[in-house]
Amino acid sequence: EVPYGMLVWAGGNKARKISLDLMSKFPAEQTNKRGISVDDHLVMKGSGGSIYAIGDCTASQYAPTAQVASQQGAYLARMFKQMAKRDGLQSGLETAKATDPESVPKMEKQLEKASNPRPFHYSHQGSLAYIGSEKAIADMSLFNGNVGIWALSCFRRSDNCDRLHLVVSQPTSSGGVSISARSSLSGIVS
């Protein structure tokens, strides 16, 4: 459980009034008209560390996609957990100084680590777009590089499919990539 004052979720395809109103409270730092400016730790610039923003309401270097927002959400969950650990270490350190001085150096080292969180880093997992007629286009990172898969004719939507397995063979003489796929529940697709 994370104690907080207010949580706001807003969806849509343009900046919501609540985001614009919040940005107007910090005019010196919030100069981007596209969305809320955040730092590398997803803290709203100008808020003094009290407001976090993720997803497409932010104006960041990342595309406003669900993949980015999902990773940002997971990052913030880890950050809040780390903050709680830091707070617990701070209060425990005071007690340890009086009761267990030998544990103080270890606790100080843990506190220093918990007080310096890593910045958010997005990891692109690939893209898949359904283009109709049981076809899709995919862009995935394979073999330590990006391989564009232009005509993935073997993709088929299935509500019962829990996983799509792709098998990529060596590039063909025309420069394309040969692909076959099967759904783990539907059997062979193509």
Side-chain angles (χ1 to χ4, degrees):
E1 185 173 315
V2 178
Y4 57 89
M6 178 171 55
L7 170 67
V8 177
W9 177 85
N13 59 3
K14 69 175 194 167
R16 308 298 287 175
K17 184 172 181 348
I18 191 166
S19 297
L20 296 172
D21 289 347
L22 187 59
M23 291 167 56
S24 70
K25 304 288 183 196
F26 307 100
E29 294 86 0
Q30 296 296 320
T31 58
N32 192 322
K33 301 291 184 212
R34 194 171 59 87
I36 298 171
S37 297
V38 294
D39 66 14
D40 290 339
H41 296 94
L42 306 178
V43 174
M44 180 180 182
K45 291 181 179 175
S47 71
S50 63
I51 300 173
Y52 295 84
I54 64 171
D56 56 354
C57 74
T58 63
S60 67
Q61 62 191 13
Y62 307 109
T65 64
Q67 188 176 145
V68 173
S70 174
Q71 290 182 29
Q72 288 174 327
Y75 169 82
L76 275 186
R78 289 189 306 272
M79 285 276 296
F80 293 152
K81 184 177 178 181
Q82 189 172 351
M83 288 177 190
K85 181 178 180 180
R86 179 200 62 207
D87 294 347
L89 284 168
Q90 284 174 335
S91 63
L93 186 59
E94 297 304 317
T95 304
K97 286 180 181 177
T99 60
D100 187 14
E102 292 178 8
S103 66
V104 170
K106 181 179 177 182
M107 290 181 75
E108 286 176 337
K109 187 174 182 178
Q110 290 174 334
L111 180 60
E112 183 178 340
K113 184 177 180 182
S115 299
N116 295 309
R118 294 181 186 158
F120 172 74
H121 174 73
Y122 170 65
S123 173
H124 184 64
Q125 303 298 310
S127 300
L128 179 68
Y130 178 67
I131 58 175
S133 300
E134 300 179 359
K135 292 179 173 53
I137 300 172
D139 176 25
M140 297 182 284
S141 181
L142 300 170
F143 310 118
N144 295 327
N146 282 332
V147 174
I149 303 169
W150 299 282
L152 181 56
S153 62
C154 53
F155 176 80
R156 183 161 96 187
R157 287 185 64 179
S158 170
D159 293 335
N160 296 326
C161 179
D162 67 343
R163 190 171 303 187
L164 182 68
H165 301 280
L166 298 179
V167 180
V168 182
S169 66
Q170 295 296 323
T172 63
S173 59
S174 64
V177 177
S178 173
I179 300 173
S180 64
R182 71 176 179 80
S183 162
S184 62
L185 293 179
S186 303
I188 299 297
V189 175
S190 172

